Amino acid sequence: MYKSLITIATILGLTSTSALAYDHFFQTGRSLGYGSAGTSSAHWSAAGSYNPALIGTAAGTSNDFFLVFNIRGQAVDQDNTVKTLDDFVQETEQFDEFSNEDLLEGDINLLQNNINTVNAIADAVDKLNGIGANIDLGGNAGIGMAFDRFAVSFQLNSQFSFGGTAIVDPADTNLIRRFSHLGQFLLDDVRPLFDDKNRLEGDLTLAAAELEEFKQLVETDPDSVSQADLDAAQATATNAQGAYDEALLLVDQAKSTEEKLYQEYGDIFDFDTNSVQFDSDDLKSNARFAAIGWFEASMTIGSNWKYKSGRTLSVGTTLKSVHLEFYDYQASATAFDEDKIDGDDYRNSKDFFTADLGMILSLDRANRWRVGISVKNIMGTEIESNPVRLDEEQASLFFKVEPQFRLGTSYNATWFRVSADIDVTESKGPQFADGSEFFQGSQFASVGAVINAWDVVELRVGYRHNLIRASDVLGSNSSSNNADTLTLGAGLYLGPVQFDLGLQAAKDRVGAGFQTMIAW
């Protein structure tokens, strides 16, 4: 029984998370290093990821061509998951060593250890609710060319976000604690009766043997029986009568205790084997996974115009064909099957067309101060959980692709650059019909700085703050968003060949991106 309980609880711990929602502004290995604040200042190769107007800034300049490859990834460890699970596993392994013992006839220390460990397991299950880990992976490849009046690029972008949550039903925790209460009742009220019974059985057995020995002595050699023998026999008989009378009282007490045991714990205690019994169907907890796969092929085209004031307006648009995959697997704790996580039966897909728009305006003749705006996915869509695989009581999840707005500004002083972005709209992951979110949403405010340290090396630093808190997300036990992220990056430029590395770290997450590009 306990092994089944431990297995299910472990599954709940391993599959729970408050995952970060899908971000439609794809990070690159270069811009990741300065906090992804690239709406008005990123390289024109990132136009398909951030702002289509970036490609417009290359028209009529010395930029002619780029060929770029990017990979990126992020791993999230919510609420110190690794340590919590490690503590939980230690408790369950300790308990597993003595989980099949007779609780009444076995060593009493084992019963006490059972109680202590079940209490620890109950506390650990409480901590498991809302923790977990999720992974975001992505990559892109692109090629671009700039001409006197316009610039154009073609790119392939992919993004995969996977996460899950475990909703630990309070009834399950209460059930686990009932086993603890049962153990304490057995220790305090039932086990003493068994110990007294064993003591009385020993006393009566010894008395019967002594009286039988005296009887045989009387029958075989009555003349040898002394007064001392008679007195000893009388004392033995008196003690035996006392033990018998005590046993009668013990029987009445045992009946009362057994009745209480049956009434309060009869559903979880096996009277034949003196062990607990457990039906896994009694668990109410659920495990649920959701994943979003985004695969797009796109073309970005843009241009710029200079005004008499010396300011420059750059515009651009990205036209893209998107293949969207939405995966939703949910099951009760007892029906959970990890082999089904990658099953096609729990997947739904949709193809659609959409576009991005962008604009960047320089505020001075030297094009140092810039402001920009980017609008992603001006035409949205919606995809729902595959209804074929949902049980009657399971609610569908919906992933809505909606327009996303981001504003940015930057200042470029040749040897250093500072930039800042803010999301005007929240980027949401899967939601229920009532609008409650399955993942934590994201709405970032970002700042970054770039230093041209040497002609061939560029150093970057950045900071991101998520304006959306996680406390109201399904399965989350976090009181803060835990998404304040520091970033570092560096670029190495060897003539037309460029290499960029970006790193990001937060309280509960780490990420990295790598980019290689040929540009001239």
Side-chain angles (χ1 to χ4, degrees):
M1 163 267 159
Y2 283 115
K3 290 182 179 179
S4 300
L5 190 62
I6 291 168
T7 300
I8 291 171
T10 302
I11 288 172
L12 291 177
L14 290 173
T15 61
S16 60
T17 183
S18 295
L20 196 63
Y22 186 86
D23 187 358
H24 294 276
F25 295 88
F26 303 144
Q27 298 182 84
T28 67
R30 176 178 292 186
S31 57
L32 186 148
Y34 53 84
S36 302
T39 299
S40 64
S41 61
H43 188 268
W44 63 297
S45 62
S49 298
Y50 284 107
N51 185 355
L54 291 168
I55 203 166
T57 64
T61 68
S62 59
N63 298 309
D64 294 322
F65 174 85
F66 74 79
L67 177 65
V68 65
F69 297 92
N70 263 290
I71 57 173
R72 58 190 178 274
Q74 176 180 243
V76 177
D77 178 17
Q78 193 76 22
D79 296 313
N80 205 10
T81 303
V82 174
K83 185 179 185 304
T84 302
L85 286 176
D86 184 59
D87 293 343
F88 177 74
V89 170
Q90 289 183 23
E91 295 291 348
T92 55
E93 287 179 348
Q94 176 186 347
F95 183 79
D96 199 34
E97 295 176 359
F98 45 77
S99 59
N100 296 316
E101 298 291 333
D102 187 314
L103 299 180
L104 298 180
E105 298 288 355
D107 187 347
I108 193 171
N109 291 324
L110 292 177
L111 178 55
Q112 183 62 62
N113 289 339
N114 271 257
I115 296 170
N116 296 339
T117 306
V118 172
N119 287 335
I121 292 174
D123 293 338
V125 170
D126 287 339
K127 294 178 182 179
L128 293 178
N129 194 29
I131 68 170
N134 78 288
I135 296 176
D136 295 303
L137 300 172
N140 80 291
I143 185 172
M145 293 161 286
F147 305 95
D148 287 340
R149 293 304 310 148
F150 72 96
V152 63
S153 68
F154 303 88
Q155 49 269 331
L156 299 174
N157 268 314
S158 64
Q159 178 85 353
F160 181 79
S161 297
F162 173 87
T165 190
I167 305 303
V168 178
D169 195 297
D172 291 355
T173 305
N174 293 336
L175 178 61
I176 297 172
R177 293 197 182 280
R178 282 193 67 210
F179 287 108
S180 172
H181 298 157
L182 167 62
Q184 197 64 49
F185 179 72
L186 294 176
L187 181 66
D188 295 339
D189 298 311
V190 181
R191 184 59 187 259
L193 297 179
F194 270 75
D195 293 342
D196 287 343
K197 180 206 70 169
N198 293 334
R199 177 181 55 81
L200 291 175
E201 286 179 347
D203 292 345
L204 289 172
T205 299
L206 179 61
E210 291 177 353
L211 290 174
E212 179 64 26
E213 182 180 353
F214 179 75
K215 177 182 177 182
Q216 292 178 1
L217 178 62
V218 171
E219 291 176 351
T220 58
D221 189 7
D223 295 337
S224 64
V225 177
S226 65
Q227 185 61 42
D229 292 332
L230 291 173
D231 293 341
Q234 182 62 45
T236 299
T238 301
N239 292 336
Q241 183 63 44
Y244 177 76
D245 294 340
E246 186 179 354
L248 291 178
L249 295 175
L250 185 64
V251 169
D252 292 337
Q253 186 178 358
K255 287 181 178 179
S256 175
T257 302
E258 183 180 18
E259 183 178 355
K260 181 178 180 181
L261 179 63
Y262 181 81
Q263 290 178 349
E264 297 188 10
Y265 304 105
D267 58 328
I268 60 174
F269 184 75
D270 189 333
F271 288 85
D272 294 330
T273 61
N274 295 333
S275 61
V276 292
Q277 57 183 1
F278 174 73
D279 185 354
S280 60
D281 292 336
D282 292 337
L283 289 181
K284 309 297 182 184
S285 298
N286 289 280
R288 189 165 192 168
F289 291 86
I292 303 165
W294 179 288
F295 311 92
E296 73 174 46
S298 61
M299 180 188 75
T300 303
I301 187 169
S303 186
N304 62 69
W305 292 269
K306 289 186 178 181
Y307 296 98
K308 293 181 180 179
S309 62
R311 298 179 179 179
T312 302
L313 175 66
S314 302
V315 297
T317 183
T318 298
L319 306 176
K320 51 191 182 183
S321 173
V322 180
H323 176 72
L324 185 62
E325 298 267 350
F326 183 43
Y327 178 88
D328 179 18
Y329 169 64
Q330 54 182 316
S332 66
T334 56
F336 175 80
D337 185 354
E338 61 182 359
D339 293 334
K340 292 184 178 180
I341 293 178
D342 57 356
D344 290 339
D345 292 339
Y346 299 91
R347 178 178 59 88
N348 207 354
S349 62
K350 176 177 284 191
D351 298 308
F352 68 102
F353 292 92
T354 187
D356 305 338
L357 298 175
M359 180 181 67
I360 297 174
L361 177 65
S362 65
L363 302 180
D364 62 290
R365 291 179 176 271
N367 196 21
R368 291 185 175 182
W369 276 107
R370 288 180 176 182
V371 293
I373 182 172
S374 177
V375 184
K376 302 279 284 187
N377 307 318
I378 60 174
M379 296 170 288
T381 190
E382 179 178 287
I383 190 170
E384 181 183 357
S385 304
N386 189 340
V388 176
R389 290 296 178 177
L390 293 181
D391 294 337
E392 184 176 350
E393 70 277 5
Q394 293 175 331
S396 288
L397 282 174
F398 300 86
F399 178 60
K400 298 179 180 180
V401 179
E402 299 175 318
Q404 304 291 316
F405 293 80
R406 179 173 287 184
L407 299 174
T409 185
S410 60
Y411 179 79
N412 189 348
T414 305
W415 68 274
F416 76 91
R417 183 177 72 249
V418 293
S419 56
D421 283 1
I422 187 168
D423 292 340
V424 180
T425 53
E426 178 186 353
S427 179
K428 298 180 179 180
Q431 303 175 68
F432 293 95
D434 62 0
S436 59
E437 298 183 37
F438 185 67
F439 290 174
Q440 179 190 354
S442 63
Q443 188 174 357
F444 289 110
S446 307
V447 294
V450 178
I451 299 175
N452 185 9
W454 298 274
D455 291 338
V456 296
V457 176
E458 195 172 79
L459 302 178
R460 308 173 186 118
V461 64
Y463 171 79
R464 304 188 86 189
H465 174 72
N466 189 7
L467 302 175
I468 306 300
R469 301 178 68 86
S471 55
D472 296 328
V473 179
L474 175 68
S476 175
N477 59 8
S478 176
S479 60
S480 63
N481 56 22
N482 287 337
D484 293 328
T485 305
L486 295 176
T487 68
L488 294 172
L492 178 63
Y493 303 145
L494 304 176
V497 181
Q498 304 176 11
F499 301 96
D500 296 278
L501 176 66
L503 303 174
Q504 61 181 8
K507 178 180 179 181
D508 60 356
R509 70 197 67 220
V510 293
F514 176 76
Q515 173 178 302
T516 180
M517 181 168 61
I518 299 174
W520 61 75

